[in-house]
Amino acid sequence: MSSLFLRTLREDPADAEVPSHKLLVRAGYVRRVAPGVYSWLPLGLKVLRRIENIVREEMDAIGGQEIQFPALLPREPYEATNRWTEYGPNIFRLKDRKGGDYLLGPTHEELFTLAVKGEYSSYKDYPVVLYQIQNKYRDEERPRAGILRGREFLMKDSYSFDLTDEGLAESYGKHRAAYIRMFERLGLKYVIVAATSGAMGGSASEEFLAESETGEDTFVRGPGGYAANVEAVTTPAPPAQPIEGKPAAAVHHTPDTPTIETLVDFLNAHYESAGGTSVGADRKFTAADTLKNVLLKTRQPGATDWELLAIGVPGDREVDMKRVEAGLEPAEVALLEEKDFAANPFLVKGYIGPKALQDNGVRYLVDPRVVTGTAWVTGADEVDHHVVDLVVGRDFTPDGTVEAAEVRAGDPSPDGQGVLEAARGIEIGHIFQLGRKYANAFSLDALGPDSKPVRITMGSYGVGVSRLVAAVAEQSHDESGLVWPRSVAPFDVHVVIAHKNNPELFEGGESLAAELEAAGLSVILDDRKASPGVKFADAELLGVPTIVVVGRGLAEGTLELKDRATGERTEIPREGAAEAIAAIVRS
Ligand code: ATP
Ligand code: MG
């Protein structure tokens, strides 16, 4: 450590909110260069490389073949799949000196498809799995939490190419199993959840989420084994109801009811005078009887104009923008601004109802619970007025449904078994069955045994290698610092010479380190001329799993061993220490 390119910090960096970010910076693993752009210092690079190697070993074990594409890519392949446009502001675009368009690759489906098309032609060539471990570039809207969400980040991306749907399912299954092995080796606590397929297109898709309070993804799970990212939860729609016999819709003057809560109170207080409604005399109105219409605007990829979009959800639920975005991808979605309301005076804020929306040609999507025959209390498009008993299929017909309402703990599980619980996670891996989307874009065919072309079907599988460094740190740290699992720690053993300059202790530390290295362990030796307190604090901060203290006891032939994870301290004899420590590390 006296010569290691490392300076630890006592203070948390000002821009850091989550533990992994604070600790990785404080412990000198990474340094920020620009928002979402980080350098790896020696310790950080060691951890990154160890994780990368675990990922590589598991990919090789399922027959993956490693290749490497450039990160600097021409526009044309991404134009062929429309992703040059669909990615919108999320890709880094650049021009060469001749004015040619380039991008920094955000993901490489196009290039892999073209590579296979370039080399392979016969059905005998398939199946094949190719992968790379390479920096990706995405101009993330909110780079966050250090390396958790970078704008440059290391990803393992692999792609499977199969002749048949069954073949694709098998390739997918192999990746799934490989991911399970990788994440177990990394000592992570993770869940596999159903996912949406996002900008990739395609069908079957699952995410691996490292459980963590600080994760950006919310997932739900039910007692019957159902687990999904909330973006992928499909709301079980109740059965349609008969329209006949429902009371007629009636507009009521509902003064001072700008919020759902005030509206519900008003309705319940004035229920008798409001006349009979389908709520029935035996129960009260609740927020779930109201239909809240939220105004958004959307823009299709490549378009310049925004279009209005209204979303109707039961009034007891908020609109979850991430779910809306996932549902409307690849379109961009934004909340309406004051100027949009001003430009559309038929939108009476707080009292927007289906009538004004549909009279004015606003696209109107509703929550799946808003089925034919259900009656709602909603805005009457006039200040202080609401309409009661507005029946779907009789009084208004939405343009379709959208999964927009928040998913909550306690909601019924879509598999019909029990209710959902919610937790947060960090997306560390994602596996997709792409199907033939990319093969179609590039006409990737194999010549079959009958000499007829067979369209290839693909899968795409990503692991956030650099994000994993942070994900492991999120799950494995304490107040004093990082606590690495052995499989990824930058060193096996941290030897602390517990003195500023005592020559015997320095010699003792150096000879122990040499013996440990001879026993095959990697060692970091704190031979700095610093006080023991500083050295102990740094040992805790760096997070190497086994700490050996060479201190006063050495004169009596003992060393102190500290387990970083449990805090347990034991005295061991100096004699045979290297073998004993090696046994602990390997166990
Ligand atoms: P997210 O939802 O977190 O933005 P994504 O769904 O866009 O991720 P994929 O396209 O599925 O990501 O990429 C594969 C993997 O790459 C992800 O599972 C994640 O682990 C990692 N990854 C994606 N974006 C980033 C990023 N900005 N920084 C670090 N890792 C990332
Ligand atoms: Mg993903």
Side-chain angles (χ1 to χ4, degrees), residues 138 140 148-150 153 155 200 427-430 462 464 467:
R138 295 183 185 175
E140 298 276 0
L148 263 182
R149 178 170 300 283
F153 59 96
M155 195 204 283
M200 307 289 172
E427 183 186 321
I428 48 177
H430 197 166
R467 177 178 284 185

Side-chain angles (χ1 to χ4, degrees), residues 138 195-197 200 205-207 217 427 429-432 467:
R138 295 183 185 175
T196 54
S197 33
M200 307 289 172
S205 150
E206 288 169 297
E207 283 168 3
D217 286 77
E427 183 186 321
H430 197 166
I431 52 178
F432 293 96
R467 177 178 284 185

Side-chain angles (χ1 to χ4, degrees), residues 16 33 41 46 121 174 207 234 278 285 287 293 331 336 338 359 361 364 473 476 478 502 520 538 550-551:
V33 172
L41 300 189
K46 277 184 195 288
S121 56
K174 281 187 185 166
E207 283 168 3
T234 46
S278 58
F285 285 96
N293 296 307
L336 276 209
E338 273 319 315
D359 287 353
Y364 184 41
S476 195
D478 60 22
N502 180 323
D538 275 345
V550 182

Side-chain angles (χ1 to χ4, degrees), residues 164-206:
T164 63
D165 293 351
E166 296 72 45
L168 169 57
E170 201 173 303
S171 298
Y172 182 90
K174 281 187 185 166
H175 274 88
R176 197 175 192 274
Y179 280 30
I180 289 172
R181 284 191 294 271
M182 276 173 208
F183 300 138
E184 312 251 278
R185 286 178 66 182
L186 295 175
L188 283 164
K189 202 170 162 225
Y190 67 94
V191 285
I192 305 176
V193 301
T196 54
S197 33
M200 307 289 172
S203 53
S205 150
E206 288 169 297

